[in-house]
Amino acid sequence: MAPAAAATEVEVDAWAARDTSGHLSPFTFSRRATGPGDVKFKILFCGVCHSDLHQIHNDWGNSIYPMVPGHEMVGEVTEVGSEVKAFKVGEIVGVGCLVNSCQTCDPCTQHLEQYCGKKVWTYTDKDYDGTITQGGYSTIMVCRQEFVLKMPTNLPLDAAAPLLCAGITVYSPMKHFQMDVAGKHFGVVGLGGLGHMAVKFGKAFGMTVTVFSTSPSKEKEARELLGADRFIASKDPEQMKAAAGSIDYIIDTVSAAHPLDLYLSTLKLDGKLVMVGIPEKPLSIHAFSLTSARRYVGGSGIGGIKETQEMLDFCGEHNITCLIEKIPISYINTAMERLGKSDVKYRFVIDIANSLKSED
Ligand code: NAP
Ligand code: ZN
C-alpha cells in the first residue's frame, strides 16, 4: 500500500509589490500545508481596497515587501483539515482583513478580534508560525477556520467580495454607534468603496442619506443607483453652508487629508462623526466644532468575525451587493492609479480565476 501523501506546502501564483513604488508584478510564493484546523480554497475574486493602495506605498509605515495585497477574497473550498466541521469541500467562502488572533483576550472573547493586541492581518504581517502573511491577489488561500466566512449563496460572488472589508467597515460602526435608526439623517463623506456601501446600508436601515462628495460627476448614480436622497458637492461652500445643522450622524470614509470642521458643522446637536477612512497624515479639528453643539467624533476598524458573518447574512437577506468594475490582474497597476484619483465606481474586483493561473 502506498504511504499517505505527506502534507506539503502549496505553490501559489500571485502579484506582488516589491518596494514603495507600489508597482505590482507576477510573483510566486508558498502557503503552508492545510493544517488540522485550516480551510484551503481556490480564490475566485478579490476586491481592491484603498488600504491596498496605502499599503503598497507604505503610507502607514508598516509595509513588508514583497507584498501580495488583497483582503476581500472569495473562493471555493478545495480541502479542509481533520478538525474542521463547519466547512466542506465545494463550499463558497471568504476571508477578509484578519487571519489570526489570540482568541483569549478581552476583545477576542467579545468577538472583537480586530482589536486583539496579537491579531494578524491578512497580508503584510507576521503570523504566529513566523511566516509573512500574503493576501488575495493570488490563486490559493489557506486560513485558520475561525477566520473563514460563509458567503451568501444568492449573491453574485464578484459583487459580494468587497463586503468582506468595505461592507463590514461601515456596517460595524453603524451598529455600534447606533447610526442605524430609521428616519434619522445619515451623512456619508466620500463616495468610494466604503462610502457607497454606507449609502446602501443607510437606505436598508430606513434612513435619509446625504452624500458629501468631491466628485460632482457621481451625483446622478448616487441618487439613481444607490438611492441617496441628497448630494452635496463638498467643494462648493454654498452647498456646505446650506447643510449646516441638518444631519444626525456622519461616517467619514475619506482616504486623504480633508477639513473635518466643515463636515462637523453639518451635524445637529449631539451629532456624531465616525472616521473609518485612514489618511496618512493627522487630521485637525477646531474644538468649537465639538463644543458648539455637544458633538462627538469617534473611529472604528473593520469588524469582528461574528459581526462580519452577520453582515454577510444581512446582505444575503436584503440582496445587498457592491457596485463593481471587474478587472483582470494584468490591469491592476492601472486600477491602482485610478483608485488614487477616486476614479472607480465603486470597487475594482479582480477576476482571479480567469486571469491568474492556478495549479491546484
Ligand atoms: P476609495 O474607494 O478610494 O474611496 C475614498 C473616497 O474618498 C473617494 O472615492 C473620494 O470620494 C474621497 N476622497 C478621496 N480623496 C479625497 C480628498 N483629498 N478629499 C476629499 N475626499 C476625498 O477608498 P476606500 O476603499 O473606500 O477606503 C477609504 C479609506 O478607508 C482608506 O483610507 C482606507 O484605507 C480606509 N479603510 C479603513 C478601514 C477601517 O478599518 N477603518 C477599512 C478599510 C479601508 P468622492 O469622489 O466622493 O469625494
Ligand atoms: Zn480594506
Side-chain angles (χ1 to χ4, degrees), residues 49-51 54 60 165 169 190-195 212-215 218 253-258 276-279 300-302 339 342 346-347:
C49 180
H50 203 114
S51 300
H54 288 301
W60 299 331
C165 174
T169 299
L191 195 60
L194 271 54
F212 294 95
S213 175
T214 59
S215 311
K218 293 179 181 173
T253 75
V254 173
S255 50
H258 57 293
V276 290
I278 312 177
S300 182
I302 51 169
L339 183 59
S342 307
Y346 290 91
R347 198 57 139 192

Side-chain angles (χ1 to χ4, degrees), residues 109-120:
T109 52
Q110 294 176 65
H111 304 287
L112 296 168
E113 301 88 350
Q114 74 272 34
Y115 302 118
C116 168
K118 295 179 183 162
K119 66 183 167 297
V120 179

Side-chain angles (χ1 to χ4, degrees), residues 200-221:
K200 286 197 170 199
F201 286 129
K203 293 313 295 176
F205 296 146
M207 296 192 283
T208 301
V209 178
T210 291
V211 169
F212 294 95
S213 175
T214 59
S215 311
S217 64
K218 293 179 181 173
E219 173 162 8
K220 191 170 185 303
E221 281 170 332

Side-chain angles (χ1 to χ4, degrees), residues 285-349:
I285 297 177
H286 199 295
F288 271 130
S289 298
L290 305 176
T291 57
S292 60
R294 211 165 57 180
R295 298 181 179 114
Y296 310 72
V297 174
S300 182
I302 51 169
I305 301 302
K306 183 165 179 270
E307 193 175 38
T308 304
Q309 189 63 59
E310 176 192 308
M311 179 271 319
L312 288 170
D313 297 345
F314 179 85
C315 290
E317 271 164 44
H318 296 265
N319 220 11
I320 295 175
T321 52
C322 311
L323 291 181
I324 64 160
E325 198 175 318
K326 193 155 58 178
I327 58 167
I329 188 75
S330 55
Y331 188 76
I332 190 65
N333 290 304
T334 309
M336 287 296 189
E337 259 178 53
R338 287 183 48 200
L339 183 59
K341 292 189 248 169
S342 307
D343 176 23
V344 51
K345 289 177 179 168
Y346 290 91
R347 198 57 139 192
F348 289 113
V349 171

Side-chain angles (χ1 to χ4, degrees), residues 124-172:
T124 211
D125 204 353
K126 193 187 262 194
D127 209 340
Y128 291 2
D129 62 3
T131 56
I132 299 302
T133 56
Q134 300 288 14
Y137 298 7
S138 64
T139 49
I140 295 165
M141 182 64 182
V142 177
C143 185
R144 137 170 219 198
Q145 60 178 330
E146 289 86 348
F147 293 85
V148 179
L149 285 309
K150 286 182 188 276
M151 298 304 292
T153 50
N154 59 318
L155 300 181
L157 271 189
D158 46 4
L163 296 173
L164 291 160
C165 174
I168 186 60
T169 299
V170 294
Y171 180 93
S172 180

